[in-house]
Amino acid sequence: MPPSIDESFLALPLRQLADAALARAKALGAEHADFRFERVRSANWMLRNARPAGSSDVTDTGYAVRVVHGGSWGFAAGVDLTMDAAARVAGQAVAMAKLSAKISAASGSTARVELAPEPSYGEQTWVSSYEINPFDIPDAEKTALFADWSERLLAAPGISYVDTRLWAVQENKFYADTAGTVTTQQRVRINPELTATAVDSASGRFDTMNTLAPPAGRGWEYLTGTGYDWDADLEQIPSLLAEKLAAPSVEAGAYDLVVDPSNLWLTIHESIGHATELDRALGYEAAFAGTSFATFDQLGKLKYGSPLMNVTGDRTVEHGLATTGFDDEGVRTQSWDVVRDGTLVGYQMDRRTARLQGFDRSNGCAFADSSSHVPIQRMANVSLQPDPQGPDTAGLIAGVERGIYAVGRNSWSIDMQRYNFQFTAQRFFRIENGRLAGQLRDVAYQATTTDFWGSMEAVGGPQTYVLGGTFMCGKAQPGQAAAVSHGCPSALFRGVNILNTTAEAGR
């Protein structure tokens, strides 16, 4: 039986609070009003060397009212579950909108907040795709599984420490607006990770290696054989970590680079995902997280990468971390092109930014991480599409005479316009004459966004495609966190600049 909305959430006075708040906002003259009730449960379980090392289990519950009144935004939030309190919060939102209007007028602005149109959907229910809610699993069972995995790694020669962490989130959201859309949704996501550390007692050198399993919009079944091969991942870590510890340092220079999906998703996130957020492209994130080199005047013109580059924004893909049925503005979620045949053709938008630039509707990218925060334009699942007839990863490596193969995400650095960057990886392998020839240390690849994607010569087939991602994408002031997935195949890039990070640090 597919999962259903948590009964304890449905038992809350969701509709009554919404009715009271929206009625008050309309009575006060709001042109638009929406009500959001959120309950977000977030829990962590941690082990060190197979023994419990800490846990947390936090639930954040509350509601928010957002209005457009007199052409200005207003927002207020509350936790008191009475109808009078909800109406009072709506009044506070309207008062804030009036104050905003005065401030805007005093600055000489005549701009008015207008929203792109969206149909009214009536009452809708949506639940993400998972089988077993991780919060239904006893803590002892979670601990036993991770202790077993830790002990397997600790039994291998050379492994000194093993840290594990399981992070699970259940997000319930009720939304209603003055246009008549009412949505009730539930999302579950899970983020398991093991980190092994090896220490060379002779040299004092140490290094770490993580499992490669990406976080996913799945349930407990993800840890018991559905969607990921944990046994294979755990089995290879000890020997790979020993090889990494003894690996030679890289010689800086230009190399052909094959990037595994376990690494490439983060490059997509930073250089495409953030760069194609329309609020950044219009300059609205400049004070905190930066803008974008992909400015709106370049839509349909900018050569983002090679003709093989096809990137989609998608809030509908199964098991995606940013997947949902409706966004926080009542917009039904969609899939669309961001880059087609190497050219920028689309942005991620909310209703406000869509209207500003003359689009017919938003593509469903408004999201808040809690009831105490206003929805902002957040990233969809932004993914590089595979070549339907593309090779497997070994086939890509076979086409390289002298190069490097990057696996697993690690550190990154990118400028405020999302243009100049460098990335490292967990594992870098030397490629000689089309074959892997051992690991390398101290490697980072560096480029500008358009040069890097322009150097992409081959894209792997669907058999190499993996949906990676993160639980913690930060944006906005006050800061908000969001979970987002990025799918991609393996890909081959020619002539990429490789840095020796140890040499760079010594400059």
Side-chain angles (χ1 to χ4, degrees), residues 20 51 86 102 126-127 146 152 157 161 168-169 185 199 204 210 213 266 270-271 283 314 369-370 394 404 412 460 473:
R51 296 184 177 182
K102 290 180 180 177
W126 184 90
V127 181
F146 277 80
R152 284 197 226 173
Y161 305 99
V169 176
Q185 303 185 92
V199 180
N210 296 345
L266 183 55
E270 302 294 349
S271 69
D314 191 346
D369 66 355
S370 75
I404 292 174
W412 74 97
C473 170

Side-chain angles (χ1 to χ4, degrees), residues 67 69 72-76 90-103:
V67 303
H69 184 285
S72 293
W73 283 122
F75 176 82
Q92 292 168 347
V94 171
M96 177 174 281
K98 291 179 177 178
L99 179 60
S100 297
K102 290 180 180 177
I103 294 171

Side-chain angles (χ1 to χ4, degrees), residues 352-394:
R352 167 66 168 154
T353 54
R355 179 72 176 207
L356 279 173
Q357 297 311 125
F359 291 97
D360 292 337
R361 63 181 296 217
S362 159
N363 46 31
C365 288
F367 185 80
D369 66 355
S370 75
S371 59
S372 60
H373 285 151
V374 68
I376 58 173
Q377 192 260 284
R378 293 314 304 256
M379 203 181 298
N381 304 300
V382 175
S383 301
L384 175 69
Q385 298 306 303
D387 178 349
Q389 280 76 49
D392 59 14
T393 303

Side-chain angles (χ1 to χ4, degrees), residues 133-409:
N133 192 323
F135 291 100
D136 292 340
I137 301 299
D139 286 359
E141 188 171 338
K142 298 185 181 83
T143 299
L145 179 62
F146 277 80
D148 173 62
W149 289 354
S150 299
E151 287 166 354
R152 284 197 226 173
L153 292 173
L154 288 166
I159 302 295
S160 302
Y161 305 99
V162 175
D163 292 300
T164 71
R165 180 190 189 190
L166 173 63
W167 187 358
V169 176
Q170 177 178 317
E171 180 184 294
N172 287 104
K173 188 170 300 201
F174 174 88
Y175 169 92
D177 63 30
T178 46
T181 293
V182 180
T183 63
T184 309
Q185 303 185 92
Q186 178 165 300
R187 301 198 298 170
V188 167
R189 53 186 178 269
I190 196 164
N191 185 10
E193 185 174 77
L194 284 82
T195 302
T197 300
V199 180
D200 183 338
S201 57
S203 66
R205 177 186 288 181
F206 69 92
D207 218 323
T208 63
M209 191 165 285
N210 296 345
T211 47
L212 297 178
R218 295 179 183 269
W220 180 250
E221 71 279 358
Y222 188 46
L223 296 162
T224 56
T226 298
Y228 195 72
D229 188 343
W230 287 95
D231 289 337
D233 197 351
L234 293 168
E235 184 178 359
Q236 66 177 347
I237 282 180
S239 60
L240 285 174
L241 183 51
E243 182 186 53
K244 181 180 181 182
L245 199 58
S249 190
V250 70
E251 180 181 341
Y255 290 79
D256 294 339
L257 186 66
V258 176
V259 187
D260 190 83
S262 58
N263 181 273
L264 191 58
W265 73 263
L266 183 55
T267 311
I268 293 169
H269 177 87
E270 302 294 349
S271 69
I272 306 173
H274 280 308
T276 58
E277 295 169 324
L278 185 53
D279 58 346
R280 283 182 190 273
L282 297 176
Y284 290 110
E285 271 285 301
F288 182 58
T291 57
S292 172
F293 76 96
T295 51
F296 187 73
D297 60 307
Q298 299 184 78
L299 184 65
K301 304 173 187 173
L302 175 66
K303 295 300 180 187
Y304 217 106
S306 83
L308 299 173
M309 184 183 187
N310 291 288
V311 177
T312 58
D314 191 346
R315 295 205 72 173
T316 67
V317 63
E318 188 176 28
H319 306 307
L321 297 170
T323 298
T324 190
F326 297 83
D327 77 352
D328 288 357
E329 295 185 320
V331 176
R332 190 188 290 277
T333 51
Q334 305 145 47
S335 175
W336 67 97
D337 289 340
V338 176
V339 176
R340 186 188 310 127
D341 301 329
T343 299
L344 175 69
V345 296
Y347 287 99
Q348 305 158 72
M349 300 177 283
D350 58 17
R351 293 180 67 179
R352 167 66 168 154
T353 54
R355 179 72 176 207
L356 279 173
Q357 297 311 125
F359 291 97
D360 292 337
R361 63 181 296 217
S362 159
N363 46 31
C365 288
F367 185 80
D369 66 355
S370 75
S371 59
S372 60
H373 285 151
V374 68
I376 58 173
Q377 192 260 284
R378 293 314 304 256
M379 203 181 298
N381 304 300
V382 175
S383 301
L384 175 69
Q385 298 306 303
D387 178 349
Q389 280 76 49
D392 59 14
T393 303
L396 292 171
I397 292 171
V400 174
E401 183 176 347
R402 174 180 177 271
I404 292 174
Y405 173 45
V407 179
R409 61 116 175 96

